[in-house]
Amino acid sequence: MKKISFLFLFIIFLNDFSYSQTLRERVKERREQRNENKSGDVDLALPDYSNLYYWAAHPAKWDYSDSIPSFLKDEIRDTSGDVFFLHPTTYIKDFQNSKMNADVDDSALNHQTDISTILYQASVFNGSCRVFAPRYRQAHLKAYFQITSAQSKKAFDLAYEDLKTAFQYYLDHWNHGRPIIIAAHSQGSMHAVRLLREFFDGKPLQRQLVCAYIVGWQIKKEDFKSLPFGNFPAETGCVVGWRTYKKDKEDFLIKKENGNSLCVNPISWSTDNNWTPKEMHKGAVGKDFNILVSKRISVGIAPGLNILWVEIPDDIEQKSGMASRLGNFHIADYNLFWMDIRENVKQRINTFLGH
């Protein structure tokens, strides 16, 4: 974990303590409000993005996105850019009885989000960016099993409205014209496509976009009118993304797409079908955040399918459990290329700033 000086910790403590007493009262009031105003499965209490409690990651407080693995303890870091990170679905328990949208005051769920996606995914950007990751009333995993239903659409719309509100609050109060990276995974990426269309695609804000890393979700060829799909490592103002499968594997959802998707190789950052050898792989991070596994993975884009195929050594694959048996490494879309992404972020920001 990132070493923080005693003085810095003390400043953070004072900053947090200044609202910690009133925070408990506000959370209690919000819960009472929900009990009075429930309407079906929809939680009508809005997250208050002026309150740091409703940010899983924010530069004004210490959080898991600030974590630095021990192998990077001597890394020179910069915060020339900002990343707005839309985390994936962590609301997965109790299919039968759970509401369609998560409660942003659910401390257990928030903790699970923080020690998983914020630690292992959002942290990849802290070498070059200030990290902003809002908590939001994410749709439950079960919404994907009835994705075309009115109930699911309502759940996804509610989740997106939170993210849209958070992003607008970030723009109004913290951006100040700084370079922006949009990054996301899975459900977060689904919402990120919508966010990019509404705020960036053919809009003035497109000029501030360094890159959008839309990972673990289908990026359709017709998704954007003005935003290009990236095809080389230093390209800026573009979108990139991938979905990771074991070589020669696919699933029924991929087949239904008929190749209507875009994919980049997150080692070469090219869209061609050339396989990158394992020697080019800069490094993966697994459950042990402090161990870098490099030069072990080769990857290529599956012809006609436009998904990412990977060849992973047996010792690494055995640790992936269900993902290996299914041939779908969705859960490790970021982890497998952690250092490759980190260095690419720095490269794109430097190019954007003319360094």
Side-chain angles (χ1 to χ4, degrees), residues 122-329:
S123 66
V124 76
F125 299 96
N126 67 26
S128 305
C129 298
R130 303 188 305 175
V131 183
F132 296 83
R135 303 199 187 282
Y136 66 104
R137 291 172 293 179
Q138 57 180 293
H140 193 281
L141 181 62
K142 65 184 178 182
Y144 286 97
F145 291 85
Q146 45 185 335
I147 195 167
T148 59
S149 72
Q151 189 179 28
S152 289
K153 184 180 185 303
K154 188 175 182 180
F156 288 130
D157 284 347
L158 182 67
Y160 174 73
E161 286 303 316
D162 282 356
L163 291 169
K164 175 183 174 181
T165 300
F167 185 66
Q168 188 63 62
Y169 193 89
Y170 154 76
L171 287 178
D172 292 342
H173 294 85
W174 298 311
N175 175 255
H176 304 303
R178 291 166 56 88
I180 300 172
I181 287 176
I182 300 295
H185 187 241
S186 199
Q187 180 176 164
S189 289
M190 179 183 72
H191 299 308
V193 170
R194 191 172 173 183
L195 190 81
L196 286 165
R197 286 179 187 149
E198 189 165 345
F199 285 87
F200 293 88
D201 195 17
K203 312 290 175 59
L205 198 60
Q206 184 172 336
R207 293 192 293 268
Q208 285 178 238
L209 183 67
V210 177
C211 185
Y213 294 82
I214 309 304
V215 183
W217 187 255
Q218 179 190 12
I219 303 174
K220 298 177 182 178
K221 295 176 181 178
E222 67 273 16
D223 271 342
F224 305 111
K225 296 178 181 179
S226 300
L227 289 172
F229 195 75
N231 193 37
F232 60 93
E235 188 172 358
T236 61
C238 61
V239 177
V240 297
W242 61 91
R243 292 170 292 169
T244 314
Y245 288 77
K246 187 175 181 179
K247 187 181 179 182
D248 298 324
K249 294 288 186 179
E250 57 180 303
D251 56 36
F252 75 96
L253 292 173
I254 299 300
K255 291 179 181 178
K256 287 176 61 177
E257 294 174 3
N258 294 318
N260 184 27
S261 62
L262 298 168
C263 181
V264 75
N265 180 326
I267 293 179
S268 68
W269 301 100
S270 170
T271 57
D272 61 40
N273 296 126
N274 297 324
W275 275 73
T276 52
K278 61 183 181 181
E279 289 76 16
M280 288 181 63
H281 176 230
K282 292 183 172 61
V285 169
K287 289 184 178 180
D288 189 335
F289 187 67
N290 291 307
I291 296 178
L292 182 69
V293 180
S294 62
K295 299 181 179 181
R296 301 292 305 280
I297 299 173
S298 59
V299 306
I301 297 173
L305 298 174
N306 292 327
I307 57 174
L308 191 71
W309 275 348
V310 297
E311 288 187 326
I312 299 177
D314 290 342
D315 60 322
I316 299 177
E317 188 174 336
Q318 288 170 3
K319 297 178 181 179
S320 64
M322 182 65 73
S324 175
R325 291 191 290 275
L326 294 175
N328 185 340
F329 290 97

Side-chain angles (χ1 to χ4, degrees), residues 38-52:
K38 281 183 181 176
S39 176
D41 279 337
V42 178
D43 174 3
L44 298 179
L46 294 170
D48 176 8
Y49 292 113
S50 69
N51 188 335
L52 296 186

